[in-house]
């Protein structure tokens, strides 16, 4: 009996030791950072290409994934992938390599989120490049991936020159010189197209429609009196891939209202003790005022004798000529700067 008890006790001790040893073994994993310090992913990664290479830029994240404020960023990790054009696969995983570190810093400068910049000239013609960025608060607190940007590198075309704008009523017509050379001065071999960009009242530039094969465009999605900024970029078709070229200098344009209001109606002239009283029917809301004209019987063209601000529609000619009959007509002025003036109304005279 005693020997059986000892055997059972020894077995129990062995099992307990085995469990304790097994519980102390396992694989180590990276620590999971608290959400209060992990930056939100960057969502505005973009690039600019010139003859020297490519410049990436993006906005510093100012919030964590939990929504708390971020005061600074330790660093940014820039990931790059390079694929030969004959090996590009739209459905394959992008072969990003090890990241390059870009120093971080405070997220706010002059009360605005800072912009980070990364430049590289290590580019090979005939290859497609992919980039993405992560921000870090430490080696173990990294954000998710940014949006991915990609481009094909070849010697780019020069920026379009001679960008010009012609303004009209609710319309801006743009034209520029065709691009015929690359940035090294050699002739373009391939089709060139153009991408217009527009900024409304100084806001961020955004693409204006699709790329164009021509050097002229009429923008009718504008409002009179507002200032718009335009620039145009050249695009080269390189072996079936788009190569972005230079961007022109920005120009501004403000379309103007050139449509006059209709002439006033219901004009009548009545002789009173105070002079000749001229009345007419008030016009619509676009009218800012009226001009009153007088013509003598022997005159061919009327003369301006006064102005009336809307909504009033009455004018008194206190000193009409006494020797001949006077004929009165009215024009309407809209609220444009300078105002558009309507045609003359029908003439009215005293009886």
């Amino acid at each position: 009996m005693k020997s059986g008890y000892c055997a059972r006790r020894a077995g129990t001790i062995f099992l307990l030791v085995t469990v304790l040893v097994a519980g102390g073994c396992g694989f180590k994993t990276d620590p999971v950072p608290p959400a209060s310090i992990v930056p939100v992913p960057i969502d505005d990664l973009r690039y600019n290409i010139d003859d020297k290479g490519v410049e990436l830029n993006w906005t510093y994240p100012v919030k964590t994934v939990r929504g708390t404020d971020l005061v600074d960023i330790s660093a940014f990790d820039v990931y790059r992938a390079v694929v030969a054009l004959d090996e590009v696969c739209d459905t394959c995983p992008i072969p990003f390599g090890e990241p390059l570190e870009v120093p971080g810093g405070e997220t706010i400068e002059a009360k605005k989120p800072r912009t980070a910049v990364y430049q590289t000239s290590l580019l090979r013609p005939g290859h497609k490049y992919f980039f993405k960025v992560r921000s870090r608060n430490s080696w173990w607190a990294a954000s998710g991936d940014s949006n991915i940007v990609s481009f094909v590198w070849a010697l780019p075309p020069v920026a379009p020159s001679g960008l010009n704008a012609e303004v009209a009523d609710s319309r801006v017509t743009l034209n520029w010189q065709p691009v015929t050379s690359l940035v090294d001065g050699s002739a373009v071999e391939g089709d060139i197209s153009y991408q217009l960009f527009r900024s409304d009242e100084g806001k961020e530039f955004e693409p204006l429609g699709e790329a164009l094969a021509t050097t002229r465009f009429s923008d009718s999605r504008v409002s009179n009196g507002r200032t718009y900024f335009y620039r145009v970029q050249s695009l080269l078709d390189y072996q079936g891939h788009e190569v972005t070229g230079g961007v022109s200098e920005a120009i501004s344009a403000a379309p103007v209202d050139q449509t006059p209001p209709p002439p006033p109606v219901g004009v009548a002239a009545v002789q009173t003790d105070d002079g000749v009283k001229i009345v007419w029917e008030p016009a619509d809301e676009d009218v800012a005022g009226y001009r009153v004209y007088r013509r003598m019987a022997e005159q061919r063209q009327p003369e301006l004798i006064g102005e009336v601000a809307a909504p009033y529609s009455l004018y008194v000619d206190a000193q009409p000529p006494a020797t001949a009959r006077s004929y009165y007509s009215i024009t309407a002025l809209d609220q444009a700067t300078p105002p558009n003036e309507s045609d003359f109304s029908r003439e009215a005279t005293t009886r």
Side-chain angles (χ1 to χ4, degrees):
M1 293 292 293
K2 186 174 182 179
S3 60
Y5 168 76
C6 291
R8 288 196 301 272
R9 184 174 183 185
T12 302
I13 294 173
F14 175 78
L15 178 61
L16 179 60
V17 171
T18 302
V19 171
L20 291 175
V21 172
C25 298
F27 296 100
K28 293 184 178 180
T29 59
D30 291 336
V32 178
S36 59
I37 65 171
V38 176
V40 295
I42 294 162
D43 62 2
D44 64 344
L45 177 62
R46 49 197 178 271
Y47 68 92
N48 293 305
I49 290 178
D50 58 23
D51 57 325
K52 299 179 180 63
V54 63
E55 177 186 278
L56 303 177
N57 58 81
W58 61 91
T59 304
Y60 273 61
V62 296
K63 296 287 185 180
T64 68
V65 293
R66 184 173 289 179
T68 56
D69 293 337
L70 273 177
V71 177
D72 55 48
I73 293 293
S74 299
F76 297 98
D77 291 330
V78 178
Y79 292 82
R80 183 176 81 163
V82 186
V83 181
L85 288 183
D86 57 0
E87 297 177 1
V88 171
C89 171
D90 293 336
T91 60
C92 299
I94 301 174
F96 286 107
E98 291 297 315
L100 299 172
E101 183 176 295
V102 175
E106 294 183 356
T107 59
I108 301 295
E109 186 175 63
K111 299 182 179 181
K112 293 182 179 180
R114 292 177 61 191
T115 298
V117 176
Y118 170 76
Q119 296 174 318
T120 181
S121 59
L122 301 176
L123 303 171
R124 291 180 290 171
H127 288 74
K128 188 169 185 177
Y129 287 81
F130 302 82
F131 288 91
K132 67 179 181 180
V133 178
R134 293 177 182 172
S135 55
R136 287 191 285 108
N137 263 337
S138 67
W139 67 268
W140 57 283
S143 72
D145 291 342
S146 71
N147 58 301
I148 297 174
V149 296
S150 63
F151 59 88
V152 172
W153 174 252
L155 205 59
V158 298
S161 61
L163 180 59
N164 179 63
E166 301 171 2
V167 296
D169 192 350
S170 300
R171 185 175 299 273
V172 176
T173 300
L174 302 151
N175 57 79
W176 56 92
Q177 296 298 315
V179 169
T180 59
S181 62
L182 304 179
V183 292
D184 66 347
S186 60
V188 168
E189 296 182 0
D191 294 332
I192 291 287
S193 57
Y194 305 92
Q195 179 63 62
L196 274 167
F197 296 86
R198 187 182 75 181
S199 167
D200 185 354
E201 297 284 346
K203 298 177 182 177
E204 186 174 349
F205 278 93
E206 296 182 354
L208 183 59
E210 301 295 328
L212 305 167
T214 64
T215 58
R216 186 177 180 86
F217 179 79
S218 184
D219 184 10
S220 59
R221 298 176 61 183
V222 294
S223 299
N224 290 330
R226 295 179 68 89
T227 300
Y228 299 88
F229 297 86
Y230 297 90
R231 61 189 185 191
V232 60
Q233 182 178 36
S234 57
L235 306 172
L236 171 65
D237 184 353
Y238 179 79
Q239 299 181 17
H241 297 271
E242 183 181 271
V243 175
T244 54
V247 182
S248 71
E249 295 292 332
I251 63 169
S252 62
V256 293
D257 181 359
Q258 297 178 334
T259 303
V265 296
V267 181
V270 180
Q271 183 70 54
T272 68
D273 293 340
D274 298 324
V276 177
K277 181 182 294 185
I278 305 102
V279 296
W280 58 93
E281 294 182 11
D284 59 26
E285 295 179 355
D286 185 48
V287 170
Y290 305 90
R291 287 176 178 167
V292 182
Y293 292 84
R294 182 179 64 202
R295 181 182 67 83
M296 308 307 296
E298 69 276 7
Q299 292 178 314
R300 300 188 63 181
Q301 294 296 327
E303 296 179 355
L304 177 66
I305 60 172
E307 293 192 8
V308 177
Y312 301 106
S313 57
L314 180 149
Y315 181 83
V316 176
D317 183 6
Q319 296 180 333
T323 57
R325 175 175 289 184
S326 300
Y327 297 85
Y328 297 93
S329 57
I330 311 296
T331 62
L333 303 173
D334 66 13
Q335 301 186 40
T337 304
N340 297 299
E341 186 174 7
S342 73
D343 291 334
F344 291 103
S345 69
R346 296 184 63 177
E347 289 185 325
T349 185
T350 56
R351 299 297 181 186

